[in-house]
Amino acid sequence: MGTSVQVSPLCGVYNENPLSYLVSIDGFNFLLDCGWNDLFDPSLLEPLSRVASTIDAVLLSHPDTLHLGALPYAMKQLGLSAPVYATEPVHRLGLLTMYDQYLSRKQVSDFDLFTLDDIDSAFQNVIRLTFSQNYHLSGKGEGIVIAPHVAGHMLGGSIWKITKDGEEVVYAVDYNHRKERHLNGTVLQSFVRPAVLITDAYNALYTNQTQSHHRDTEFLDTISKHLEVGGNVLLPVDTAGRVLELLLILEQHWSQRAFSFPIYFLTYVSSSTIDYVKSFLEWMSDSISKSFETSRDNAFLLRHVTLLINKTDLDNAPPGPKVVLASMASLEAGFARDIFVEWANDPRNLVLFTETGQFGTLARMLQSAPPPKFVKVTMSKRVPLAGEELIAYEEEQNRLKREEALRASLVKEEETKASHGPDENSSEPMVVDTKTTHDVVGSHGPAYKDILIDGFVPPSSSAAPMFPFYDNTADWDEYGEVINPDDYVIKDEDMDRGAMHAGGDVDGRLDEATASLMLDTRPSKVISNELIVTVSCSLVKMDYEGRSDGRSIKSTIAHVSPLKLVLVHATAEATEHLKQHSLNSICPHVYAPKIEETVDVTSDLCAYKVQLSEKLMSNVIFKKLGDSEVAWVDSEVGKTGSEMRCLQPMGSAAAPHKPVLVGDLKMQDFKQFLSSKGVQVEFAGGGALRCGEYVTLRKVGPTGQKGGASGPQQILIEGPLCEDYYKIRDYLYSQFYLL
Amino acid sequence: MASSSASLKRREQPMSREGDQLIVTPLGAGNEVGRSCVYMSFRGKTILFDCGINPAYSGMAALPYFDEIDPSTIDVLLITHFHLDHAASLPYFLEKTTFKGRVFMTHATKAIYKLLLTDYVKVSKVSVEDMLFDEHDINKSMDKIEVIDFHQTVEVNGIKFWCYTAGHVLGAAMFMVDIAGVRILYTGDYSREEDRHLRAAELPQFSPDICIIESTSGVQLHQSRHIREKRFTDVIHSTVAQGGRVLIPAFALGRAQELLLILDEYWANHPDLHNIPIYYASPLAKKCMAVYQTYILSMNDRIRNQFANSNPFVFKHISALNSIDDFRDVGPCVVMASPGGLQSGFSRQLFDIWCSDKRNACIIPGYMVEGTLAKTIINEPKEVTLMNGLTAPLNMQVHYISFSAHADYAQTSTFLKELMPPNIILVHGEANEMMRLKQKLFTEFPDGNTRIMNPKNCESVELYFNSEKMAKTIGRLAEKTPDVGDSVSGILVKKGFTYQIMAPDDLHVFSQLSTATVTQRITIPFSGAFGVITHRLGKIFESVDSSTDEETGLPALKVHERVTVKQESEKHISLQWSSDPISDMVSDSIVALVLNISREVPKIIVEEEVAVKSEEENGKKVEKVIYALLVSLFGDVKLGENGKLVISVDGNVAHLDKETGKVEGEHEGLKERVRVAFHRIQSAVKPIPLSAE
């Protein structure tokens, strides 16, 4: 019987909230994405908190907050402890995104949901896979194979295929079928008839996607128009996702036009982002990897973009028009918010949004039509403590320290009492480092000298303090002093020691400023003030989200034509729209569950395995049809040694079966075929094909979106009794295989 | 699909004479080192592993034996790494032969492949007719090469393959190929030891059925990496401390980068050496540095962690030299130069200058090909011949410290013991070394379940695999699981090597194929009374149902539940049916009948009489035909007792009962064939039953 599959959304259905879904396959619980939004509202994670401890594996699809933002929090606070699977770029860029989020937040609030250490530990155990890598789970998930495939939305972004016993569950959200500068299009279309497809309806109602080169020209024109009149351009971007595409567009345009306006990429982690991205060429589009292979041009060696990691550098930059790409895209925090407030009241400036802001954020507010004239923003800033506050803080700290010390000393006393009367040989509490093994080079003398010169601290626990005394226990035999061969072995670590000190920071390179911010333990506090910002600058929004639009979503789903479809992550209208559309023309089983509603999408497919005997196969003649070969078999079940059923040839003549025509007739192709055979052929009204003078051919009955998906084809051929009729019928038969 | 869970474990010994034949033929690297190229074919799928040249020869002589195979039949060509002996005949093979399959290599391999071969074309001094390919061919080949990432599974024509890290050089891969559930591992050159920048070769998750493994190091054991490195740095340190010069002849790519990492690090830890320059004299290596600086992800964790701070391939103490003209020989220094064999070029020029000074040292860091100067000086001869033909005393110290990243005996045997492949094929090793390795491996696997082979070039290894063909019955057909003796009929769909059986109605659900029904409607001019047709049809066909058309109220007939005959108007009748061979036939006869009615009536009656000839005569005719057909198939067919036919082929006799179709006889094969033949003849000769539902 089929594999049991249950889907229950934890967040992000019937709205644009972050994505997080629980899929359980034969009792093995997958958490698909673990997202949060820029507002970091813990109430969104409530459903997750209820199931976090039962999750067996986490699959991440994209390196942005919406897809993985809650991972550190869930790991630390909600008891999520499952292994996490992601591609290398999703892991690395996701880590940087979280750093950037944390640092931006920390600047403006007393952010305490998670710390940098929590981020590090959450990402430490990510198991990294490559695209199309079939990873066999072990233990509880024995028999399940997971594989990430190209999604095309962000670098490393993946759609996940989970296979068990030949049944496929595909999780595809935020995919993009179009090829972009740095990314290949998704391979979702190559999946055929999976048992379950879980996908988003996010763009189901959005169909207005202009041609990409038109969009690019418009984008660049808008920017240069504002630069030329002396304005500044701000692009609020994400940390390490879609921004890469924008950087490439700008970089390319700048080198073609030889513009001198500076471009700044400002996030807390911008330089490490680009450093890593430079080594991710394998994950990018064919054209980028090709250009590196043939001419060693790394597309992300940015010549026109200056990477900045703090705002002061931007303030110190030479005045004049400039383009700044800064995080966060939502304008809720980060450098983008500060810059927006600074630049908003100059009509020459431009704020160019490249993606729809998250719901309820400043960016979303500004994108509404008509844009607001004024916005009220709360600006917060972290300032070092000074004056009385500092004194108060220090006193508080001192008090805490004293308490700590007091407690420690109490504990120590306890211990001392406990370890009364120590063993003579125990040199444990001794402060001096004494080498008990002989050094190969060092003679006995100096080894002791160290101790004498450095002074002697009597072990506090010893009953009778005395100098440490070592007996020279060198043994002699007839060949001289007995030596221990181990002392002369060259130590393995010798060579590595030099390099290892460099590799200390395992979890990624933090920029210097970031590091200083992290290590900055000066007492500080957050001050906030509300201000009204007059929005006189231009606000423009262009679609660089890199998602398939509604039309392509529909055709992609129709092409994949899953047996069961689960819709998530979209507004209620979009979800409903796609649901109706899919019910009408794709498949009869469409589900759009609500939060914490579990839908059972176990396939009702019956299947059993049989062995095909050599005898049977030698009698089968296959006919080739596209990728596959078909044949009719009549067989009976025979016995084999094992439990497996084996199909043998029929003992007696098989009952004749109803003949089947196999093939997919495309009227357009058939028309060409006929005309190549010298038959006059044209389309008459109503999809009928007129062949020769009298014969007409038409498809009747319900026709699906795509051939094959919705049932057998019905073809009607009619005409008067004549030679042409039989000729055309023969041509028609030649398009099919009769079984 | 069929191979998901059951085949994770090691399969039963698939050795038997029956089953499908798998052929492995080394076209190069069989009992030799160089020009790796191994041909493999199984169940109609053909794969070529590697496509190298023998660097010791030039022109056609350097190629593997491509004329043994038909390049156009090869489906997939897999290149393990960029070394010349594994990749350098690729442009020739792609551009000058009929090969039209697909080529795969890893990203890093592809990037270096181009640089390396372009350099190879430039430096190899051969006449134009000896040139196997030129730069143009290399550039064209770049477009045809596809890239594969480690662990990524690719499927081409039902051949599934993926690759593991091999550890030998940057981008080196071991390929695992899965054809219809039979797995073949081709290691290429591999090393199980992690070094400064490369990961050790991975241990594949699955045990292969065949392991084609390199045997370069034979039964040798390598020194541990740390001792090696210490010897290396000690020799260099003491030589330069005494004012000597150190020459390291090494191939530009691969080991050279490892040595540079060691040197850069050693210099960083020893400030007293900072005034002594280190050069690497290879424009090629300089160009490839960008590749090393980029594909950090293919390297080990150590490098990746260092990368977090600064790129370790941006050297601090090492500088590049373009040619000997840029080199000022003024004092102690360390120079790494190519070629590794000291045949000619920069390394040889320096060797000629430095060889007679006993303060100098030459460190040979890797495998030396027979016949090169590097191999000669290992034995420390008193004199050497310089490039200008003069002889000079060899006073410089010669050290051989092998950094070769080939698995040694210990690694090979543990690797094989972990995998336990039932078949081991040794390639890429000098004949004697290979023989020794084979002997020693025999002692390691004494149970006799493991076959170890070392074919020579063009010598085929033939193995047989009983590949069970498994099918999955799905959909409506599988609603009830059948018991022994039940029949299963349906459409068998084969895609790649997976089989599915399904009901015709389910075809569009489980495959991309679809079924179709063709409805035919023809109109025939007929002006007589419809009743005549009814009458005539009733005489010929067993079942004719008459009714009236609901819309027009005109009479209609349904013949054999298949063909509807309707009166359309005064002048026309129409026939409608859904296509299949029997209905087509029925309709044809109706058409003929209708046409004949309007011509002459009596003829049909005559024919009718003819048709009602005796059953007996018919039966005789049938018997004659059966006999004639059997004779044409089996030759000797006699009529035996009780009406049985006696068929004898090659002394084997079978008795066939014509009535029941039963066959008796000793020989199973003959029995089966006679049975099938008779069954087919019968279904061809006997009339088709009309009730086919």
Side-chain angles (χ1 to χ4, degrees), chain A residues 649-681:
Chain A
M650 294 289 266
S652 53
H657 63 273
K658 202 168 169 238
V660 191
L661 287 175
V662 180
D664 191 4
L665 186 79
K666 301 236 161 45
M667 291 302 239
Q668 194 63 44
D669 298 347
F670 188 55
K671 179 178 175 241
Q672 291 205 333
F673 174 74
L674 281 182
S675 50
S676 77
K677 296 280 176 197
V679 180
Q680 281 228 324
V681 60

mmCIF file of all heavy atoms in Angstrom, chain A residues 649-681:
data_model
loop_
_atom_site.group_PDB
_atom_site.id
_atom_site.type_symbol
_atom_site.label_atom_id
_atom_site.label_comp_id
_atom_site.label_asym_id
_atom_site.label_seq_id
_atom_site.Cartn_x
_atom_site.Cartn_y
_atom_site.Cartn_z
ATOM 1 N N PRO A 649 4.987 -16.545 -18.828
ATOM 2 C CA PRO A 649 4.101 -16.488 -19.986
ATOM 3 C C PRO A 649 2.851 -17.315 -19.702
ATOM 4 O O PRO A 649 2.877 -18.248 -18.901
ATOM 5 C CB PRO A 649 4.912 -17.117 -21.110
ATOM 6 C CG PRO A 649 6.289 -17.203 -20.614
ATOM 7 C CD PRO A 649 6.260 -17.167 -19.130
ATOM 8 N N MET A 650 1.768 -16.999 -20.398
ATOM 9 C CA MET A 650 0.521 -17.718 -20.194
ATOM 10 C C MET A 650 0.662 -19.156 -20.639
ATOM 11 O O MET A 650 1.281 -19.443 -21.657
ATOM 12 C CB MET A 650 -0.580 -17.077 -21.041
ATOM 13 C CG MET A 650 -0.928 -15.685 -20.611
ATOM 14 S SD MET A 650 -1.785 -15.663 -19.070
ATOM 15 C CE MET A 650 -3.451 -15.668 -19.659
ATOM 16 N N GLY A 651 0.070 -20.064 -19.879
ATOM 17 C CA GLY A 651 0.108 -21.460 -20.263
ATOM 18 C C GLY A 651 -0.782 -21.726 -21.467
ATOM 19 O O GLY A 651 -0.419 -22.446 -22.382
ATOM 20 N N SER A 652 -1.940 -21.093 -21.470
ATOM 21 C CA SER A 652 -2.862 -21.291 -22.587
ATOM 22 C C SER A 652 -2.976 -19.959 -23.325
ATOM 23 O O SER A 652 -2.439 -18.951 -22.903
ATOM 24 C CB SER A 652 -4.217 -21.716 -22.043
ATOM 25 O OG SER A 652 -4.628 -20.776 -21.069
ATOM 26 N N ALA A 653 -3.691 -19.997 -24.418
ATOM 27 C CA ALA A 653 -3.849 -18.786 -25.201
ATOM 28 C C ALA A 653 -4.559 -17.734 -24.365
ATOM 29 O O ALA A 653 -5.516 -18.037 -23.656
ATOM 30 C CB ALA A 653 -4.658 -19.085 -26.460
ATOM 31 N N ALA A 654 -4.050 -16.544 -24.426
ATOM 32 C CA ALA A 654 -4.641 -15.485 -23.629
ATOM 33 C C ALA A 654 -5.954 -15.058 -24.249
ATOM 34 O O ALA A 654 -6.137 -15.116 -25.460
ATOM 35 C CB ALA A 654 -3.687 -14.296 -23.591
ATOM 36 N N ALA A 655 -6.860 -14.660 -23.380
ATOM 37 C CA ALA A 655 -8.108 -14.117 -23.895
ATOM 38 C C ALA A 655 -7.779 -12.828 -24.624
ATOM 39 O O ALA A 655 -6.972 -12.040 -24.143
ATOM 40 C CB ALA A 655 -9.049 -13.835 -22.729
ATOM 41 N N PRO A 656 -8.356 -12.626 -25.777
ATOM 42 C CA PRO A 656 -8.030 -11.411 -26.506
ATOM 43 C C PRO A 656 -8.443 -10.177 -25.703
ATOM 44 O O PRO A 656 -9.450 -10.216 -24.989
ATOM 45 C CB PRO A 656 -8.838 -11.517 -27.791
ATOM 46 C CG PRO A 656 -9.549 -12.795 -27.738
ATOM 47 C CD PRO A 656 -9.354 -13.438 -26.426
ATOM 48 N N HIS A 657 -7.665 -9.156 -25.795
ATOM 49 C CA HIS A 657 -7.994 -7.947 -25.053
ATOM 50 C C HIS A 657 -8.443 -6.874 -26.023
ATOM 51 O O HIS A 657 -8.239 -6.973 -27.225
ATOM 52 C CB HIS A 657 -6.792 -7.462 -24.266
ATOM 53 C CG HIS A 657 -5.638 -7.080 -25.148
ATOM 54 N ND1 HIS A 657 -4.713 -7.985 -25.580
ATOM 55 C CD2 HIS A 657 -5.298 -5.897 -25.700
ATOM 56 C CE1 HIS A 657 -3.830 -7.379 -26.348
ATOM 57 N NE2 HIS A 657 -4.160 -6.127 -26.446
ATOM 58 N N LYS A 658 -9.053 -5.899 -25.461
ATOM 59 C CA LYS A 658 -9.495 -4.780 -26.272
ATOM 60 C C LYS A 658 -8.258 -4.047 -26.776
ATOM 61 O O LYS A 658 -7.386 -3.690 -25.989
ATOM 62 C CB LYS A 658 -10.330 -3.845 -25.404
ATOM 63 C CG LYS A 658 -11.238 -2.999 -26.219
ATOM 64 C CD LYS A 658 -12.249 -2.301 -25.314
ATOM 65 C CE LYS A 658 -12.955 -1.255 -26.138
ATOM 66 N NZ LYS A 658 -12.834 0.064 -25.596
ATOM 67 N N PRO A 659 -8.139 -3.826 -28.075
ATOM 68 C CA PRO A 659 -6.939 -3.173 -28.567
ATOM 69 C C PRO A 659 -6.835 -1.736 -28.037
ATOM 70 O O PRO A 659 -7.847 -1.081 -27.821
ATOM 71 C CB PRO A 659 -7.137 -3.160 -30.081
ATOM 72 C CG PRO A 659 -8.194 -4.141 -30.349
ATOM 73 C CD PRO A 659 -9.061 -4.183 -29.146
ATOM 74 N N VAL A 660 -5.615 -1.323 -27.805
ATOM 75 C CA VAL A 660 -5.386 0.009 -27.267
ATOM 76 C C VAL A 660 -4.497 0.772 -28.238
ATOM 77 O O VAL A 660 -3.494 0.247 -28.711
ATOM 78 C CB VAL A 660 -4.652 -0.059 -25.914
ATOM 79 C CG1 VAL A 660 -4.679 1.294 -25.255
ATOM 80 C CG2 VAL A 660 -5.251 -1.104 -25.023
ATOM 81 N N LEU A 661 -4.884 1.972 -28.513
ATOM 82 C CA LEU A 661 -4.012 2.836 -29.310
ATOM 83 C C LEU A 661 -3.227 3.710 -28.348
ATOM 84 O O LEU A 661 -3.811 4.408 -27.513
ATOM 85 C CB LEU A 661 -4.849 3.727 -30.224
ATOM 86 C CG LEU A 661 -5.510 3.056 -31.426
ATOM 87 C CD1 LEU A 661 -6.393 4.051 -32.144
ATOM 88 C CD2 LEU A 661 -4.466 2.507 -32.376
ATOM 89 N N VAL A 662 -1.934 3.658 -28.439
ATOM 90 C CA VAL A 662 -1.110 4.457 -27.540
ATOM 91 C C VAL A 662 -0.409 5.523 -28.353
ATOM 92 O O VAL A 662 0.196 5.240 -29.393
ATOM 93 C CB VAL A 662 -0.076 3.590 -26.813
ATOM 94 C CG1 VAL A 662 0.770 4.444 -25.892
ATOM 95 C CG2 VAL A 662 -0.766 2.509 -26.025
ATOM 96 N N GLY A 663 -0.467 6.715 -27.882
ATOM 97 C CA GLY A 663 0.223 7.798 -28.575
ATOM 98 C C GLY A 663 -0.430 9.105 -28.240
ATOM 99 O O GLY A 663 -1.506 9.149 -27.643
ATOM 100 N N ASP A 664 0.212 10.167 -28.573
ATOM 101 C CA ASP A 664 -0.309 11.485 -28.257
ATOM 102 C C ASP A 664 -0.333 12.274 -29.558
ATOM 103 O O ASP A 664 0.703 12.609 -30.109
ATOM 104 C CB ASP A 664 0.606 12.157 -27.223
ATOM 105 C CG ASP A 664 -0.031 13.397 -26.656
ATOM 106 O OD1 ASP A 664 -1.195 13.682 -27.013
ATOM 107 O OD2 ASP A 664 0.634 14.088 -25.867
ATOM 108 N N LEU A 665 -1.532 12.510 -30.059
ATOM 109 C CA LEU A 665 -1.640 13.191 -31.338
ATOM 110 C C LEU A 665 -1.716 14.691 -31.108
ATOM 111 O O LEU A 665 -2.573 15.172 -30.384
ATOM 112 C CB LEU A 665 -2.892 12.712 -32.076
ATOM 113 C CG LEU A 665 -3.024 13.271 -33.491
ATOM 114 C CD1 LEU A 665 -2.133 12.516 -34.450
ATOM 115 C CD2 LEU A 665 -4.469 13.220 -33.946
ATOM 116 N N LYS A 666 -0.815 15.413 -31.725
ATOM 117 C CA LYS A 666 -0.889 16.871 -31.691
ATOM 118 C C LYS A 666 -1.341 17.301 -33.078
ATOM 119 O O LYS A 666 -0.690 16.972 -34.072
ATOM 120 C CB LYS A 666 0.470 17.465 -31.368
ATOM 121 C CG LYS A 666 1.013 16.996 -30.037
ATOM 122 C CD LYS A 666 1.341 18.173 -29.142
ATOM 123 C CE LYS A 666 1.429 17.774 -27.692
ATOM 124 N NZ LYS A 666 2.157 16.565 -27.386
ATOM 125 N N MET A 667 -2.456 18.003 -33.128
ATOM 126 C CA MET A 667 -3.023 18.372 -34.421
ATOM 127 C C MET A 667 -2.010 19.129 -35.270
ATOM 128 O O MET A 667 -1.895 18.908 -36.469
ATOM 129 C CB MET A 667 -4.273 19.236 -34.204
ATOM 130 C CG MET A 667 -5.413 18.470 -33.605
ATOM 131 S SD MET A 667 -5.875 17.068 -34.597
ATOM 132 C CE MET A 667 -7.571 17.448 -34.933
ATOM 133 N N GLN A 668 -1.281 20.024 -34.622
ATOM 134 C CA GLN A 668 -0.321 20.840 -35.357
ATOM 135 C C GLN A 668 0.733 19.956 -36.030
ATOM 136 O O GLN A 668 1.052 20.113 -37.201
ATOM 137 C CB GLN A 668 0.339 21.822 -34.376
ATOM 138 C CG GLN A 668 1.093 22.939 -35.025
ATOM 139 C CD GLN A 668 0.164 23.836 -35.843
ATOM 140 O OE1 GLN A 668 -0.914 24.201 -35.406
ATOM 141 N NE2 GLN A 668 0.588 24.147 -37.050
ATOM 142 N N ASP A 669 1.267 19.001 -35.243
ATOM 143 C CA ASP A 669 2.303 18.121 -35.783
ATOM 144 C C ASP A 669 1.741 17.242 -36.887
ATOM 145 O O ASP A 669 2.391 16.997 -37.902
ATOM 146 C CB ASP A 669 2.872 17.220 -34.678
ATOM 147 C CG ASP A 669 3.530 18.036 -33.589
ATOM 148 O OD1 ASP A 669 3.756 19.240 -33.824
ATOM 149 O OD2 ASP A 669 3.804 17.474 -32.518
ATOM 150 N N PHE A 670 0.507 16.782 -36.686
ATOM 151 C CA PHE A 670 -0.088 15.885 -37.658
ATOM 152 C C PHE A 670 -0.333 16.625 -38.973
ATOM 153 O O PHE A 670 -0.168 16.069 -40.049
ATOM 154 C CB PHE A 670 -1.405 15.333 -37.096
ATOM 155 C CG PHE A 670 -2.004 14.248 -37.945
ATOM 156 C CD1 PHE A 670 -1.253 13.134 -38.269
ATOM 157 C CD2 PHE A 670 -3.297 14.344 -38.433
ATOM 158 C CE1 PHE A 670 -1.793 12.129 -39.054
ATOM 159 C CE2 PHE A 670 -3.830 13.344 -39.216
ATOM 160 C CZ PHE A 670 -3.081 12.237 -39.530
ATOM 161 N N LYS A 671 -0.672 17.886 -38.847
ATOM 162 C CA LYS A 671 -0.892 18.706 -40.037
ATOM 163 C C LYS A 671 0.396 18.756 -40.860
ATOM 164 O O LYS A 671 0.404 18.542 -42.070
ATOM 165 C CB LYS A 671 -1.301 20.110 -39.604
ATOM 166 C CG LYS A 671 -1.533 21.043 -40.760
ATOM 167 C CD LYS A 671 -1.976 22.416 -40.275
ATOM 168 C CE LYS A 671 -2.079 23.349 -41.457
ATOM 169 N NZ LYS A 671 -1.189 24.492 -41.367
ATOM 170 N N GLN A 672 1.507 19.009 -40.164
ATOM 171 C CA GLN A 672 2.783 19.078 -40.872
ATOM 172 C C GLN A 672 3.118 17.739 -41.498
ATOM 173 O O GLN A 672 3.603 17.676 -42.622
ATOM 174 C CB GLN A 672 3.881 19.471 -39.908
ATOM 175 C CG GLN A 672 3.732 20.899 -39.463
ATOM 176 C CD GLN A 672 5.041 21.498 -39.034
ATOM 177 O OE1 GLN A 672 5.932 20.762 -38.606
ATOM 178 N NE2 GLN A 672 5.159 22.800 -39.141
ATOM 179 N N PHE A 673 2.837 16.690 -40.747
ATOM 180 C CA PHE A 673 3.140 15.353 -41.243
ATOM 181 C C PHE A 673 2.360 15.080 -42.522
ATOM 182 O O PHE A 673 2.896 14.595 -43.509
ATOM 183 C CB PHE A 673 2.786 14.334 -40.158
ATOM 184 C CG PHE A 673 2.911 12.910 -40.578
ATOM 185 C CD1 PHE A 673 4.167 12.340 -40.726
ATOM 186 C CD2 PHE A 673 1.795 12.137 -40.852
ATOM 187 C CE1 PHE A 673 4.285 11.021 -41.121
ATOM 188 C CE2 PHE A 673 1.915 10.825 -41.248
ATOM 189 C CZ PHE A 673 3.172 10.265 -41.387
ATOM 190 N N LEU A 674 1.071 15.449 -42.502
ATOM 191 C CA LEU A 674 0.240 15.206 -43.678
ATOM 192 C C LEU A 674 0.722 16.016 -44.869
ATOM 193 O O LEU A 674 0.829 15.504 -45.980
ATOM 194 C CB LEU A 674 -1.220 15.556 -43.374
ATOM 195 C CG LEU A 674 -2.012 14.531 -42.576
ATOM 196 C CD1 LEU A 674 -3.433 15.007 -42.399
ATOM 197 C CD2 LEU A 674 -1.990 13.169 -43.236
ATOM 198 N N SER A 675 1.039 17.279 -44.602
ATOM 199 C CA SER A 675 1.448 18.080 -45.747
ATOM 200 C C SER A 675 2.781 17.584 -46.297
ATOM 201 O O SER A 675 3.050 17.694 -47.487
ATOM 202 C CB SER A 675 1.495 19.563 -45.401
ATOM 203 O OG SER A 675 2.213 19.752 -44.233
ATOM 204 N N SER A 676 3.617 16.990 -45.430
ATOM 205 C CA SER A 676 4.862 16.430 -45.943
ATOM 206 C C SER A 676 4.578 15.199 -46.808
ATOM 207 O O SER A 676 5.382 14.808 -47.638
ATOM 208 C CB SER A 676 5.786 16.059 -44.791
ATOM 209 O OG SER A 676 5.349 14.868 -44.197
ATOM 210 N N LYS A 677 3.409 14.595 -46.602
ATOM 211 C CA LYS A 677 3.044 13.445 -47.424
ATOM 212 C C LYS A 677 2.266 13.875 -48.656
ATOM 213 O O LYS A 677 1.711 13.033 -49.375
ATOM 214 C CB LYS A 677 2.167 12.471 -46.602
ATOM 215 C CG LYS A 677 2.891 11.876 -45.439
ATOM 216 C CD LYS A 677 3.770 10.727 -45.878
ATOM 217 C CE LYS A 677 4.557 10.211 -44.701
ATOM 218 N NZ LYS A 677 5.695 9.390 -45.092
ATOM 219 N N GLY A 678 2.141 15.149 -48.843
ATOM 220 C CA GLY A 678 1.483 15.631 -50.053
ATOM 221 C C GLY A 678 -0.021 15.716 -49.952
ATOM 222 O O GLY A 678 -0.716 15.751 -50.968
ATOM 223 N N VAL A 679 -0.552 15.751 -48.726
ATOM 224 C CA VAL A 679 -1.991 15.897 -48.573
ATOM 225 C C VAL A 679 -2.282 17.366 -48.319
ATOM 226 O O VAL A 679 -1.593 18.001 -47.513
ATOM 227 C CB VAL A 679 -2.511 15.053 -47.395
ATOM 228 C CG1 VAL A 679 -4.013 15.223 -47.246
ATOM 229 C CG2 VAL A 679 -2.132 13.614 -47.580
ATOM 230 N N GLN A 680 -3.272 17.883 -49.017
ATOM 231 C CA GLN A 680 -3.674 19.269 -48.766
ATOM 232 C C GLN A 680 -4.345 19.321 -47.407
ATOM 233 O O GLN A 680 -5.281 18.560 -47.151
ATOM 234 C CB GLN A 680 -4.666 19.693 -49.829
ATOM 235 C CG GLN A 680 -4.011 20.060 -51.144
ATOM 236 C CD GLN A 680 -4.556 21.364 -51.652
ATOM 237 O OE1 GLN A 680 -5.730 21.646 -51.488
ATOM 238 N NE2 GLN A 680 -3.692 22.157 -52.274
ATOM 239 N N VAL A 681 -3.865 20.192 -46.560
ATOM 240 C CA VAL A 681 -4.403 20.158 -45.211
ATOM 241 C C VAL A 681 -4.488 21.562 -44.644
ATOM 242 O O VAL A 681 -3.637 22.407 -44.889
ATOM 243 C CB VAL A 681 -3.538 19.225 -44.332
ATOM 244 C CG1 VAL A 681 -2.113 19.694 -44.275
ATOM 245 C CG2 VAL A 681 -4.113 19.067 -42.952
#
